[in-house]
Amino acid sequence: MELLVLYVGFILAAYAVIGNDVIQTLGTFLTSNNKTHWTVLWGYASAILIGTLLYGWYFYNGDVSYDRLDKIPLPETLNWWYLIAPLSLLIITRFGIPVSTTFLILSVFSSQQLIEKMVMKSVYGYALSVVSAFVLYLLIAKLFESKKSIDKLEQSNQKKFWIAAQWGSTAFLWSQWLIQDFANIYVFLPRDLSVWELVGSIVVILLIMAYIFKNRGGKIQEIVNQKVNTRNIRSATIIDLCYGLILFLYGNYNSVPMSTTWTFIGILAGREIAINYLLNKKQLKNSYKLIAKDFAKVNIGLAVSIFIVYVIQLFKTMS
Protein backbone atom coordinates (compact mmCIF):
# COMPACT_ATOMS: atom_id res chain seq x y z
CA MET A 1 0.00 0.00 0.00
CA GLU A 2 2.79 2.40 0.95
CA LEU A 3 4.64 1.74 -2.30
CA LEU A 4 1.42 2.38 -4.23
CA VAL A 5 0.96 5.75 -2.49
CA LEU A 6 4.57 6.63 -3.29
CA TYR A 7 4.31 6.03 -7.04
CA VAL A 8 0.72 7.22 -7.46
CA GLY A 9 1.63 10.31 -5.45
CA PHE A 10 4.56 11.03 -7.76
CA ILE A 11 2.46 10.63 -10.93
CA LEU A 12 -0.33 12.84 -9.57
CA ALA A 13 2.12 15.46 -8.30
CA ALA A 14 4.03 15.48 -11.59
CA TYR A 15 0.86 15.91 -13.67
CA ALA A 16 -0.64 18.54 -11.36
CA VAL A 17 2.57 20.56 -10.92
CA ILE A 18 3.49 20.54 -14.60
CA GLY A 19 -0.10 21.28 -15.66
CA ASN A 20 -0.38 24.18 -13.23
CA ASP A 21 3.15 25.60 -13.27
CA VAL A 22 4.59 24.87 -16.71
CA ILE A 23 2.63 27.74 -18.27
CA GLN A 24 4.54 30.17 -16.07
CA THR A 25 7.70 29.37 -17.96
CA LEU A 26 6.51 28.07 -21.32
CA GLY A 27 3.22 29.97 -21.68
CA THR A 28 4.71 32.85 -23.66
CA PHE A 29 6.80 30.33 -25.62
CA LEU A 30 3.68 28.39 -26.65
CA THR A 31 1.73 31.57 -27.41
CA SER A 32 4.35 33.26 -29.56
CA ASN A 33 5.16 30.00 -31.42
CA ASN A 34 1.57 28.95 -31.98
CA LYS A 35 2.32 28.17 -35.65
CA THR A 36 5.11 25.74 -34.77
CA HIS A 37 4.07 22.09 -34.40
CA TRP A 38 3.76 21.11 -30.75
CA THR A 39 6.19 18.17 -31.10
CA VAL A 40 9.04 20.55 -31.97
CA LEU A 41 8.34 22.71 -28.91
CA TRP A 42 7.94 19.60 -26.74
CA GLY A 43 11.22 18.11 -27.98
CA TYR A 44 13.12 21.32 -27.23
CA ALA A 45 11.68 21.67 -23.71
CA SER A 46 12.23 17.95 -23.04
CA ALA A 47 15.93 18.15 -23.94
CA ILE A 48 16.44 21.01 -21.46
CA LEU A 49 14.50 19.17 -18.77
CA ILE A 50 16.56 16.00 -19.17
CA GLY A 51 19.81 17.98 -19.04
CA THR A 52 18.79 19.90 -15.91
CA LEU A 53 17.55 16.74 -14.21
CA LEU A 54 20.69 14.73 -14.96
CA TYR A 55 22.92 17.59 -13.76
CA GLY A 56 21.11 17.76 -10.41
CA TRP A 57 21.08 13.97 -10.01
CA TYR A 58 24.81 13.65 -10.72
CA PHE A 59 26.17 16.63 -8.76
CA TYR A 60 23.77 16.37 -5.79
CA ASN A 61 24.25 12.64 -5.17
CA GLY A 62 20.92 11.50 -6.56
CA ASP A 63 18.89 14.47 -5.23
CA VAL A 64 17.30 16.03 -8.32
CA SER A 65 15.75 18.83 -6.22
CA TYR A 66 19.11 20.61 -5.94
CA ASP A 67 18.97 20.23 -2.11
CA ARG A 68 15.54 21.89 -1.83
CA LEU A 69 14.21 18.71 -0.22
CA ASP A 70 17.15 18.53 2.16
CA LYS A 71 14.99 19.72 5.09
CA ILE A 72 11.87 17.89 3.92
CA PRO A 73 12.49 14.18 4.57
CA LEU A 74 10.28 11.48 3.09
CA PRO A 75 7.93 10.24 5.86
CA GLU A 76 8.66 6.77 7.20
CA THR A 77 5.04 5.82 6.51
CA LEU A 78 3.18 7.18 3.47
CA ASN A 79 -0.54 6.93 4.23
CA TRP A 80 -3.30 7.45 1.67
CA TRP A 81 -4.14 10.95 2.90
CA TYR A 82 -0.88 12.31 1.43
CA LEU A 83 -2.59 11.89 -1.95
CA ILE A 84 -5.18 14.55 -1.01
CA ALA A 85 -2.70 17.34 -1.86
CA PRO A 86 -1.84 16.34 -5.47
CA LEU A 87 -5.46 15.33 -6.12
CA SER A 88 -6.67 18.74 -4.94
CA LEU A 89 -4.07 20.46 -7.10
CA LEU A 90 -5.24 18.42 -10.08
CA ILE A 91 -8.83 19.57 -9.55
CA ILE A 92 -7.88 23.22 -8.98
CA THR A 93 -5.79 23.25 -12.16
CA ARG A 94 -8.82 22.12 -14.20
CA PHE A 95 -10.55 25.34 -13.12
CA GLY A 96 -7.64 27.48 -14.30
CA ILE A 97 -6.65 28.71 -10.82
CA PRO A 98 -2.87 29.40 -10.63
CA VAL A 99 -2.38 27.86 -7.19
CA SER A 100 1.09 27.73 -5.64
CA THR A 101 2.20 24.14 -5.91
CA THR A 102 5.00 24.83 -3.42
CA PHE A 103 2.53 25.62 -0.65
CA LEU A 104 0.07 22.89 -1.56
CA ILE A 105 2.44 19.98 -2.13
CA LEU A 106 5.47 20.71 0.05
CA SER A 107 3.57 22.08 3.07
CA VAL A 108 2.10 18.63 3.69
CA PHE A 109 5.61 17.27 4.29
CA SER A 110 7.17 20.37 5.93
CA SER A 111 7.52 21.73 9.46
CA GLN A 112 5.68 24.92 10.43
CA GLN A 113 8.96 26.82 10.58
CA LEU A 114 9.88 25.85 7.03
CA ILE A 115 6.36 26.70 5.78
CA GLU A 116 6.74 30.21 7.23
CA LYS A 117 10.08 30.61 5.46
CA MET A 118 8.56 29.45 2.15
CA VAL A 119 5.67 31.90 2.48
CA MET A 120 7.95 34.85 3.30
CA LYS A 121 10.36 34.06 0.48
CA SER A 122 7.41 33.83 -1.95
CA VAL A 123 5.83 37.10 -0.77
CA TYR A 124 9.12 38.95 -1.16
CA GLY A 125 9.53 37.29 -4.55
CA TYR A 126 6.13 38.63 -5.65
CA ALA A 127 6.97 42.17 -4.49
CA LEU A 128 10.39 42.04 -6.16
CA SER A 129 8.82 40.82 -9.40
CA VAL A 130 6.16 43.56 -9.51
CA VAL A 131 8.69 46.34 -8.87
CA SER A 132 11.34 44.92 -11.21
CA ALA A 133 8.92 44.40 -14.10
CA PHE A 134 7.32 47.81 -13.59
CA VAL A 135 10.66 49.65 -13.63
CA LEU A 136 11.97 47.63 -16.57
CA TYR A 137 8.90 48.26 -18.71
CA LEU A 138 8.82 51.95 -17.85
CA LEU A 139 12.22 52.07 -19.54
CA ILE A 140 11.54 49.85 -22.56
CA ALA A 141 7.77 49.88 -23.21
CA LYS A 142 7.81 52.69 -25.78
CA LEU A 143 10.74 51.12 -27.60
CA PHE A 144 9.52 47.51 -27.63
CA GLU A 145 5.81 47.34 -26.78
CA SER A 146 4.14 50.11 -28.80
CA LYS A 147 2.05 49.13 -31.83
CA LYS A 148 4.41 51.10 -34.07
CA SER A 149 7.51 49.27 -32.82
CA ILE A 150 5.81 45.86 -33.16
CA ASP A 151 4.66 46.59 -36.72
CA LYS A 152 8.19 47.74 -37.54
CA LEU A 153 9.60 44.49 -36.16
CA GLU A 154 7.26 42.44 -38.37
CA GLN A 155 8.54 44.26 -41.45
CA SER A 156 12.25 44.12 -40.58
CA ASN A 157 14.98 41.49 -40.67
CA GLN A 158 15.24 41.55 -36.87
CA LYS A 159 12.55 38.94 -36.43
CA LYS A 160 14.99 36.05 -36.98
CA PHE A 161 17.22 37.47 -34.23
CA TRP A 162 14.29 37.73 -31.81
CA ILE A 163 13.13 34.21 -32.61
CA ALA A 164 16.58 32.89 -31.68
CA ALA A 165 16.67 35.14 -28.61
CA GLN A 166 13.29 33.90 -27.46
CA TRP A 167 14.25 30.25 -27.76
CA GLY A 168 17.42 31.04 -25.81
CA SER A 169 15.61 32.95 -23.06
CA THR A 170 13.09 30.11 -22.83
CA ALA A 171 15.90 27.59 -22.29
CA PHE A 172 17.37 29.76 -19.52
CA LEU A 173 14.03 30.35 -17.80
CA TRP A 174 12.86 26.74 -18.15
CA SER A 175 16.06 25.42 -16.52
CA GLN A 176 15.79 27.90 -13.63
CA TRP A 177 12.13 27.03 -13.07
CA LEU A 178 12.92 23.32 -13.06
CA ILE A 179 15.60 23.82 -10.40
CA GLN A 180 12.93 25.47 -8.20
CA ASP A 181 10.05 23.09 -8.92
CA PHE A 182 11.70 19.67 -9.12
CA ALA A 183 11.15 19.60 -5.34
CA ASN A 184 7.37 19.79 -5.84
CA ILE A 185 7.42 17.01 -8.42
CA TYR A 186 9.79 14.63 -6.64
CA VAL A 187 8.68 15.08 -3.02
CA PHE A 188 6.97 11.64 -3.06
CA LEU A 189 10.12 9.81 -4.20
CA PRO A 190 13.33 8.92 -2.29
CA ARG A 191 15.81 11.80 -1.93
CA ASP A 192 18.55 9.75 -3.59
CA LEU A 193 17.08 8.27 -6.76
CA SER A 194 18.41 5.09 -8.31
CA VAL A 195 19.14 5.00 -12.03
CA TRP A 196 15.90 3.13 -12.74
CA GLU A 197 13.84 5.52 -10.62
CA LEU A 198 15.42 8.42 -12.48
CA VAL A 199 14.72 6.93 -15.92
CA GLY A 200 11.16 5.95 -14.99
CA SER A 201 10.40 9.42 -13.63
CA ILE A 202 11.75 11.07 -16.80
CA VAL A 203 9.48 8.92 -18.98
CA VAL A 204 6.43 9.85 -16.87
CA ILE A 205 7.23 13.59 -16.96
CA LEU A 206 7.86 13.62 -20.73
CA LEU A 207 4.54 11.88 -21.40
CA ILE A 208 2.71 14.43 -19.23
CA MET A 209 4.47 17.28 -21.02
CA ALA A 210 3.52 15.85 -24.40
CA TYR A 211 -0.16 15.89 -23.40
CA ILE A 212 0.05 19.48 -22.14
CA PHE A 213 1.95 20.71 -25.21
CA LYS A 214 -0.51 19.04 -27.53
CA ASN A 215 -3.33 20.91 -25.78
CA ARG A 216 -1.36 24.18 -25.89
CA GLY A 217 -1.34 24.69 -22.13
CA GLY A 218 -4.97 24.28 -21.14
CA LYS A 219 -6.88 26.59 -18.79
CA ILE A 220 -3.88 28.22 -17.05
CA GLN A 221 -2.66 29.47 -20.45
CA GLU A 222 -5.56 31.95 -20.48
CA ILE A 223 -3.75 34.06 -17.86
CA VAL A 224 -0.89 34.62 -20.31
CA ASN A 225 -3.13 35.14 -23.35
CA GLN A 226 -5.11 37.91 -21.62
CA LYS A 227 -2.04 40.11 -21.14
CA VAL A 228 -0.89 42.80 -23.59
CA ASN A 229 1.25 41.64 -26.55
CA THR A 230 2.20 38.24 -25.10
CA ARG A 231 1.82 36.74 -28.58
CA ASN A 232 4.55 39.06 -29.85
CA ILE A 233 7.87 37.21 -29.93
CA ARG A 234 9.91 40.16 -28.67
CA SER A 235 7.53 40.71 -25.75
CA ALA A 236 7.66 37.02 -24.88
CA THR A 237 11.47 37.09 -24.91
CA ILE A 238 11.69 39.99 -22.48
CA ILE A 239 9.12 38.43 -20.11
CA ASP A 240 11.02 35.13 -20.07
CA LEU A 241 14.39 36.80 -19.52
CA CYS A 242 13.08 38.98 -16.68
CA TYR A 243 11.44 35.98 -14.99
CA GLY A 244 14.52 33.79 -15.45
CA LEU A 245 16.85 36.39 -13.94
CA ILE A 246 14.67 36.78 -10.84
CA LEU A 247 14.59 33.00 -10.31
CA PHE A 248 18.33 32.79 -10.89
CA LEU A 249 19.33 35.68 -8.60
CA TYR A 250 16.62 35.51 -5.93
CA GLY A 251 15.39 31.92 -6.15
CA ASN A 252 18.91 30.50 -5.76
CA TYR A 253 19.79 32.85 -2.88
CA ASN A 254 19.16 29.90 -0.57
CA SER A 255 17.72 26.39 -0.80
CA VAL A 256 14.35 27.27 0.79
CA PRO A 257 11.61 26.37 -1.76
CA MET A 258 9.55 29.29 -3.07
CA SER A 259 6.39 29.81 -5.08
CA THR A 260 7.31 30.43 -8.71
CA THR A 261 3.60 31.11 -9.32
CA TRP A 262 3.70 34.26 -7.21
CA THR A 263 6.83 35.45 -9.02
CA PHE A 264 5.22 34.87 -12.42
CA ILE A 265 2.00 36.69 -11.51
CA GLY A 266 4.07 39.56 -10.12
CA ILE A 267 6.02 39.99 -13.36
CA LEU A 268 2.86 40.03 -15.47
CA ALA A 269 1.29 42.55 -13.08
CA GLY A 270 4.22 44.99 -13.09
CA ARG A 271 4.54 44.72 -16.86
CA GLU A 272 0.83 45.26 -17.49
CA ILE A 273 0.66 48.40 -15.34
CA ALA A 274 3.78 49.95 -16.90
CA ILE A 275 2.73 49.29 -20.51
CA ASN A 276 -0.77 50.70 -20.08
CA TYR A 277 0.50 53.64 -18.01
CA LEU A 278 2.81 54.70 -20.84
CA LEU A 279 0.92 53.60 -23.94
CA ASN A 280 -2.75 53.26 -23.13
CA LYS A 281 -3.91 55.02 -19.95
CA LYS A 282 -7.56 54.31 -20.81
CA GLN A 283 -6.90 50.62 -20.17
CA LEU A 284 -5.29 51.16 -16.76
CA LYS A 285 -8.55 50.54 -14.90
CA ASN A 286 -9.09 47.26 -16.76
CA SER A 287 -5.47 46.30 -16.03
CA TYR A 288 -5.98 46.79 -12.31
CA LYS A 289 -9.09 44.62 -12.45
CA LEU A 290 -7.26 41.88 -14.34
CA ILE A 291 -4.31 41.98 -11.94
CA ALA A 292 -6.63 41.94 -8.92
CA LYS A 293 -8.40 38.93 -10.42
CA ASP A 294 -5.11 37.07 -10.91
CA PHE A 295 -3.95 37.96 -7.40
CA ALA A 296 -7.28 36.80 -5.98
CA LYS A 297 -6.88 33.46 -7.75
CA VAL A 298 -3.42 33.03 -6.24
CA ASN A 299 -4.74 33.83 -2.76
CA ILE A 300 -7.66 31.45 -3.22
CA GLY A 301 -5.09 28.80 -4.05
CA LEU A 302 -3.13 29.70 -0.91
CA ALA A 303 -6.28 29.47 1.23
CA VAL A 304 -7.13 26.08 -0.28
CA SER A 305 -3.56 24.93 0.36
CA ILE A 306 -3.76 25.90 4.04
CA PHE A 307 -7.12 24.14 4.40
CA ILE A 308 -5.84 20.93 2.78
CA VAL A 309 -2.71 20.93 4.94
CA TYR A 310 -4.96 21.33 8.00
CA VAL A 311 -7.12 18.39 6.89
CA ILE A 312 -4.08 16.16 6.36
CA GLN A 313 -2.62 17.15 9.74
CA LEU A 314 -5.99 16.17 11.24
CA PHE A 315 -5.72 12.72 9.65
CA LYS A 316 -2.18 12.40 11.03
CA THR A 317 -3.39 13.21 14.54
CA MET A 318 -6.23 10.69 14.32
CA SER A 319 -4.02 7.85 13.10
Side-chain angles (χ1 to χ4, degrees):
M1 178 64 181
E2 188 176 342
L3 199 61
L4 181 65
V5 172
L6 186 144
Y7 289 118
V8 170
F10 166 72
I11 293 171
L12 289 175
Y15 181 78
V17 170
I18 293 171
N20 188 86
D21 280 9
V22 77
I23 300 308
Q24 300 168 16
T25 52
L26 300 177
T28 52
F29 183 61
L30 292 174
T31 300
S32 58
N33 291 283
N34 61 335
K35 294 181 180 178
T36 304
H37 197 273
W38 71 268
T39 54
V40 177
L41 305 179
W42 171 78
Y44 182 68
S46 297
I48 297 165
L49 182 143
I50 293 170
T52 307
L53 195 62
L54 291 177
Y55 182 91
W57 181 78
Y58 183 79
F59 286 100
Y60 289 84
N61 300 316
D63 182 4
V64 296
S65 74
Y66 288 70
D67 279 345
R68 279 166 176 74
L69 292 175
D70 185 46
K71 297 179 181 179
I72 308 177
L74 190 68
E76 292 183 8
T77 303
L78 275 174
N79 293 295
W80 66 267
W81 57 72
Y82 281 101
L83 297 178
I84 295 174
L87 275 171
S88 301
L89 180 57
L90 201 61
I91 294 168
I92 293 169
T93 300
R94 300 301 296 176
F95 287 97
I97 298 176
V99 63
S100 169
T101 58
T102 301
F103 297 148
L104 186 50
I105 301 293
L106 296 188
S107 294
V108 176
F109 296 85
S110 306
S111 64
Q112 185 176 347
Q113 186 179 13
L114 184 58
I115 292 172
E116 290 174 359
K117 289 182 179 179
M118 289 192 293
V119 171
M120 291 308 300
K121 186 175 181 180
S122 301
V123 169
Y124 289 140
Y126 176 82
L128 177 65
S129 300
V130 172
V131 174
S132 301
F134 180 74
V135 172
L136 173 65
Y137 278 91
L138 279 181
L139 298 174
I140 69 172
K142 288 184 178 179
L143 183 62
F144 292 114
E145 299 289 348
S146 68
K147 187 178 185 304
K148 184 178 179 180
S149 68
I150 291 173
D151 290 341
K152 187 177 179 181
L153 172 66
E154 294 296 324
Q155 298 168 7
S156 70
N157 293 323
Q158 294 181 18
K159 192 169 183 181
K160 290 182 179 179
F161 166 79
W162 283 102
I163 290 173
Q166 201 239 346
W167 284 61
S169 66
T170 296
F172 171 64
L173 169 58
W174 180 226
S175 64
Q176 293 306 309
W177 177 87
L178 288 169
I179 289 172
Q180 299 296 327
D181 272 39
F182 273 149
N184 305 342
I185 297 172
Y186 280 89
V187 69
F188 277 92
L189 294 185
R191 303 302 178 248
D192 51 342
L193 295 177
S194 67
V195 174
W196 290 113
E197 287 171 332
L198 177 69
V199 173
S201 67
I202 289 175
V203 171
V204 170
I205 292 172
L206 294 187
L207 288 174
I208 292 170
M209 282 178 58
Y211 174 76
I212 292 170
F213 271 67
K214 188 176 181 181
N215 288 280
R216 295 286 172 174
K219 291 286 290 183
I220 303 296
Q221 179 69 11
E222 293 174 8
I223 290 176
V224 177
N225 293 341
Q226 289 170 349
K227 302 300 183 293
V228 177
N229 294 340
T230 52
R231 285 182 170 83
N232 176 261
I233 196 142
R234 187 166 57 187
S235 303
T237 302
I238 297 170
I239 292 171
D240 288 354
L241 186 59
C242 180
Y243 186 18
L245 285 171
I246 290 175
L247 290 183
F248 176 70
L249 296 172
Y250 179 71
N252 292 323
Y253 176 73
N254 56 41
S255 61
V256 174
M258 63 177 282
S259 171
T260 53
T261 302
W262 284 43
T263 305
F264 177 63
I265 297 297
I267 288 173
L268 290 184
R271 173 183 178 273
E272 192 79 3
I273 295 170
I275 290 176
N276 284 319
Y277 175 76
L278 288 177
L279 305 178
N280 194 3
K281 284 187 170 63
K282 292 180 179 179
Q283 291 296 318
L284 261 180
K285 190 174 181 180
N286 290 333
S287 293
Y288 291 140
K289 288 180 180 178
L290 194 61
I291 290 163
K293 183 180 177 182
D294 290 346
F295 190 68
K297 285 183 176 181
V298 171
N299 279 283
I300 289 171
L302 177 59
V304 171
S305 302
I306 294 171
F307 174 74
I308 291 169
V309 171
Y310 173 77
V311 170
I312 292 175
Q313 293 300 331
L314 198 61
F315 276 116
K316 285 183 180 179
T317 306
M318 292 170 60
S319 64

